[in-house]
Amino acid sequence: MTKTGKSFIVLIFSFLSLTNVSAQKYNSFVGVRFGAALPMGEFASHEYGFGGYAVLGTSFGGEAAWFVTPKIGFGVDLSMNTFNFATGYYAEDFYQANSADIYQVNMMSGPYKLRTYMGGAYYKIAFSPKFHSTIKMMGGLFKAKSPDQFYGIKTFIAGNLNWWKTSATSKKFTFLTGVSFEYKLYPQVSLVLQADFTYARAAFTFETSDTESYIDYLKMPVFKLQPGINIHF
């Protein structure tokens, strides 16, 4: 091996050692979370023709951050969220709005699916050696998928009408803000309670034919409360 090659390998190992020491000193972490996701505002509204009819959902996510000082760090946050659709309420509202010609509404619906891919800054506030809070401000991709839905409608004039409304996807760049409270069980293991808020105005494009389509806009504010665990390194 050449002298240059040996020097390069030594440099790599020196960098990795320095990074590891810095991480231990400033308490960087990786973690997982699982908890509740609460749809808010228009997303959760049961107002026919306006609301999204989403109900309380679940959220699963992972997070990692590297602290460059005892208080300031940078990291990423990824999450997968699922919200069921309030089928019964929507079918009843659909019937009420069209009762002049409809006498029965049957409906099946899949869930809303939401994924977030965020990166940003962290600020740590220590209350004691074992207990601290972390505030974060992040930005990134908000990817939402509307439900697949089946409608079975019985009418007085046209008879039985059946159709599928296939799902559509919206991708938006937006923000996420959050705060966590963390208690150290062991030097490298902590319990976490995390609260996050994110928002985007989704634009779902539905095709009605090969040449025609329409866009359904939906404001989707989401509040998440997630217990979790952090592994420090």
Side-chain angles (χ1 to χ4, degrees):
M1 183 179 292
T2 65
K3 184 177 181 180
T4 302
K6 291 180 180 179
S7 299
F8 182 70
I9 292 175
V10 170
L11 182 62
I12 291 175
F13 276 99
S14 299
F15 175 78
L16 291 175
S17 298
L18 179 62
T19 301
N20 187 52
V21 169
S22 179
Q24 290 178 359
K25 181 178 179 181
Y26 297 127
N27 217 10
S28 301
F29 69 86
V30 294
V32 294
R33 288 93 174 90
F34 179 78
L38 177 67
M40 303 174 68
E42 186 175 309
F43 187 28
S45 172
H46 288 183
E47 184 178 345
Y48 182 74
F50 170 80
Y53 288 81
V55 300
L56 182 67
T58 59
S59 178
F60 175 77
E63 189 173 11
W66 178 56
F67 280 80
V68 295
T69 76
K71 291 186 176 182
I72 298 175
F74 300 91
V76 295
D77 184 294
L78 311 176
S79 73
M80 297 180 292
N81 312 271
T82 303
F83 305 88
N84 286 333
F85 188 87
T87 309
Y89 288 104
Y90 186 86
E92 182 178 348
D93 292 343
F94 186 97
Y95 170 78
Q96 293 294 335
N98 301 277
S99 58
D101 184 46
I102 290 176
Y103 65 91
Q104 186 173 334
V105 178
N106 296 308
M107 182 180 180
M108 294 186 296
S109 178
Y112 288 98
K113 294 182 180 181
L114 168 63
R115 295 190 178 192
T116 60
Y117 307 86
M118 300 288 173
Y122 292 70
Y123 184 79
K124 184 185 297 183
I125 303 170
F127 301 108
S128 73
K130 285 195 170 186
F131 181 63
H132 70 266
S133 177
T134 303
I135 301 169
K136 62 184 179 184
M137 287 294 297
M138 314 187 88
L141 180 64
F142 184 106
K143 183 179 179 181
K145 185 177 181 181
S146 67
D148 282 304
Q149 296 178 331
F150 170 78
Y151 293 78
I153 311 298
K154 294 184 178 181
T155 70
F156 295 106
I157 299 174
N160 295 341
L161 301 175
N162 301 317
W163 70 87
W164 283 94
K165 184 178 180 181
T166 57
S167 63
T169 300
S170 173
K171 297 179 181 179
K172 297 289 184 179
F173 285 95
T174 188
F175 72 93
L176 181 146
T177 184
V179 59
S180 65
F181 297 93
E182 185 170 344
Y183 181 79
K184 278 193 175 182
L185 294 177
Y186 305 101
Q188 290 182 296
V189 181
S190 298
L191 291 179
V192 181
L193 180 62
Q194 182 167 298
D196 290 343
F197 176 81
T198 187
Y199 164 85
R201 185 172 183 254
F204 299 113
T205 301
F206 298 97
E207 296 182 358
T208 55
S209 67
D210 292 336
T211 58
E212 295 183 357
S213 64
Y214 68 95
I215 299 177
D216 189 4
Y217 294 98
L218 181 63
K219 296 177 182 179
M220 299 178 68
V222 175
F223 174 79
K224 297 183 292 184
L225 186 63
Q226 301 170 295
I229 188 169
N230 279 349
I231 305 298
H232 298 273
F233 58 91

